[in-house]
Amino acid sequence: GLPGRAPRLIKLFHAATVGPAGLKAILDVTPLRQMNILPSGGCSPANAAAWWDAGAFCVGMGGGLVGKDVGLEPGTLAFEKAVKAWEEQERDAAKAFFEQAAQRNAAA
């Protein structure tokens, strides 16, 4: 980093090992409350609000927002299952997440 410059964002990875309650506890008793914390690795559209409510500045997600097929070989059974899961459930969850994030941002 640059001398005399504080980080603007701190990534908390594997956030699932801490959980939203753990993040809240840490932020309640440390000066990290002044930092922007980005939990990643364990965040999903289903639990993003819990992370935000715990004090996360933002959340990091991969497959939960773009589909788990993105890292798989096309034509494989795993790829086909991931595409089906995206089409049947995950796409709607990702859409709802983005709508929720936009609403929270507008209210802030």
Side-chain angles (χ1 to χ4, degrees), residues 44-46 61-67 86 89-101:
S44 69
M61 289 181 241
L65 294 182
V66 297
W86 174 256
Q89 294 176 320
E90 295 168 358
R91 179 179 23 219
D92 289 340
K95 182 180 177 184
F97 163 77
F98 283 116
E99 290 169 355
Q100 179 185 29

Side-chain angles (χ1 to χ4, degrees), residues 4-80:
R5 302 270 318 231
R8 295 181 187 211
L9 190 65
I10 296 175
K11 184 176 182 180
L12 173 63
F13 186 79
H14 290 283
T17 61
V18 176
L23 175 62
K24 182 173 180 351
I26 290 167
L27 294 177
D28 284 348
V29 299
T30 68
L32 289 175
R33 168 77 52 205
Q34 301 167 14
M35 305 301 292
N36 295 322
I37 307 294
L38 178 152
S40 181
C43 300
S44 69
N47 68 16
W51 286 105
W52 289 324
D53 293 343
F57 177 74
C58 56
V59 293
M61 289 181 241
L65 294 182
V66 297
K68 293 173 182 64
D69 60 297
V70 80
L72 300 173
E73 183 68 33
T76 63
L77 181 58
F79 178 84
E80 298 305 322

